[in-house]
Amino acid sequence: MLRQIQETKNFLNSKTTTKPFAGIVLGTGLGNLSTEIKNKTAIPYSEIPNFPISTVEGHNGELIFGTLNNVPVVAMQGRFHYYEGYSLQECTFPIRVLKALGIKNLFLSNASGGVNDNFKIGDIMLITDHINLLPDNPLIGKNITELGPRFPDMSEPYDKTLRSQVINIASANNIKIQQGVYAALSGPTFETPAEYKYMKTIGADTVGMSTVPEVIVARHMNLPCMAISIITDLGIEGKIVEISHQEVQEVAKTAEPKMTLIIKELLTTIYTKN
Ligand code: HPA
């Protein structure tokens, strides 16, 4: 894997001079955040050596280098999911590459189903912790010591400082933000009412199909993470209605201005402190 990471890194460095300070994984419906990126170099995943190819509608599949609020960033427009049939090592390979490119922080976004009674459709939730219910872990297999330890600590998967900065930014801008635990399931089926109930029982606030593998790999490499989830539907007894991928994307889009503002402000806050 080290050889592939190096090969992909060399390829990307031959395409751009941007030295990204942060990596951003743009989830469902948030692809437009990338339109805010200036001095862009966009490289389709299909041209990047060793990258898998995204298959999901609404995930365009490009790596975008540029600046956001004058901070050098690299954004993944489109991510890889376990339900697409990739191994978790494949899904998380891009995160290995972003770290090799020198990012100091990783921001992620996703769409999820709310199981906390206080949540409403369209709410955004700062992820404070997660539960990995995927039937796999991206670190299974021989450990590569150069990348991180065999048994990585997970006591603070989502960086405390970044979280408190997000809370401050949200409150300064009158943005309501929930906080809670995200549980990752394989999908591609959405949950049954009994499964949503089970999620709530085990301590989840939202349920989704991504993010956790990327965060595990980022933490393996000691990369600080911040993730925000958009509640696109509710898995709350009495409020469960039929949903589709399209509806999930539509609701996620409505949260885009809030997400963009938070990510831009957070970048400025941490970049100037750096
Ligand atoms: N479950 C799983 N993934 C999701 C959901 C959901 O309810 N909503 C958006 N992504």
Side-chain angles (χ1 to χ4, degrees):
M1 175 147 59
L2 287 176
R3 194 181 51 77
Q4 276 103 328
I5 295 169
Q6 191 60 38
E7 184 186 19
T8 308
K9 176 185 160 179
N10 292 346
F11 169 83
L12 295 169
N13 279 336
S14 76
K15 298 279 174 193
T16 176
T17 51
T18 303
K19 298 274 166 271
F21 168 74
I24 309 170
V25 181
L26 301 170
T28 306
L30 285 167
N32 274 340
L33 200 145
S34 64
T35 60
E36 304 263 338
I37 299 176
K38 305 272 184 330
N39 314 309
K40 250 188 222 184
T41 306
I43 307 159
Y45 291 161
S46 55
E47 291 176 13
I48 305 176
N50 306 312
F51 258 47
I53 295 157
S54 185
T55 63
V56 190
E57 193 193 323
H59 295 266
N60 294 341
E62 281 187 335
L63 200 56
I64 301 165
F65 291 86
T67 55
L68 199 52
N69 258 12
N70 295 316
V71 181
V73 296
V74 54
M76 285 183 65
Q77 172 138 39
R79 57 148 63 90
F80 302 98
H81 303 84
Y82 185 68
Y83 60 74
E84 293 177 83
Y86 305 114
S87 70
L88 288 185
Q89 281 87 354
E90 288 171 317
C91 290
T92 54
F93 178 77
I95 306 299
R96 299 285 192 196
V97 173
L98 299 196
K99 174 69 164 67
L101 290 171
I103 63 164
K104 302 285 183 279
N105 297 276
L106 182 66
F107 305 160
L108 309 99
S109 65
N110 63 40
S112 64
V115 295
N116 181 315
D117 291 335
N118 299 320
F119 290 3
K120 293 191 180 58
I121 290 176
D123 277 358
I124 59 173
M125 185 192 94
L126 178 64
I127 302 180
T128 56
D129 200 348
H130 71 222
I131 303 173
N132 181 21
L133 293 172
L134 294 162
D136 201 355
N137 185 303
L139 304 182
I140 286 174
K142 189 177 183 315
N143 184 56
I144 302 171
T145 320
E146 288 88 340
L147 297 174
R150 170 75 289 186
F151 300 106
D153 171 66
M154 275 286 160
S155 61
E156 195 185 315
Y158 302 86
D159 190 76
K160 237 187 203 156
T161 309
L162 292 175
R163 281 193 276 137
S164 73
Q165 283 160 334
V166 168
I167 296 300
N168 291 343
I169 291 164
S171 102
N173 290 280
N174 277 320
I175 295 172
K176 176 180 140 195
I177 190 160
Q178 307 277 15
Q179 297 189 60
V181 175
Y182 174 88
L185 288 141
S186 74
T189 43
F190 290 114
E191 289 65 41
T192 64
E195 287 165 346
Y196 280 130
K197 192 171 177 181
Y198 165 62
M199 292 301 121
K200 184 180 169 185
T201 309
I202 64 168
D205 296 291
T206 58
V207 199
M209 308 174 194
S210 68
T211 307
V212 167
E214 290 122 310
V215 170
I216 290 174
V217 162
R219 294 306 302 140
H220 181 236
M221 301 182 291
N222 205 23
L223 190 58
C225 295
M226 188 287 292
I228 298 179
S229 194
I230 301 163
I231 315 300
T232 56
D233 53 276
L234 298 174
I236 300 166
E237 220 168 344
K239 293 184 186 170
I240 299 173
V241 292
E242 208 179 297
I243 47 159
S244 66
H245 181 58
Q246 196 190 342
E247 283 165 301
V248 165
Q249 287 195 301
E250 280 165 14
V251 176
K253 260 197 167 327
T254 64
E256 196 149 333
K258 291 187 271 190
M259 295 288 298
T260 307
L261 186 146
I262 291 172
I263 288 180
K264 280 166 109 177
E265 297 262 318
L266 180 61
L267 274 173
T268 307
T269 309
I270 60 178
Y271 193 61
T272 48
K273 280 190 181 154
N274 204 253

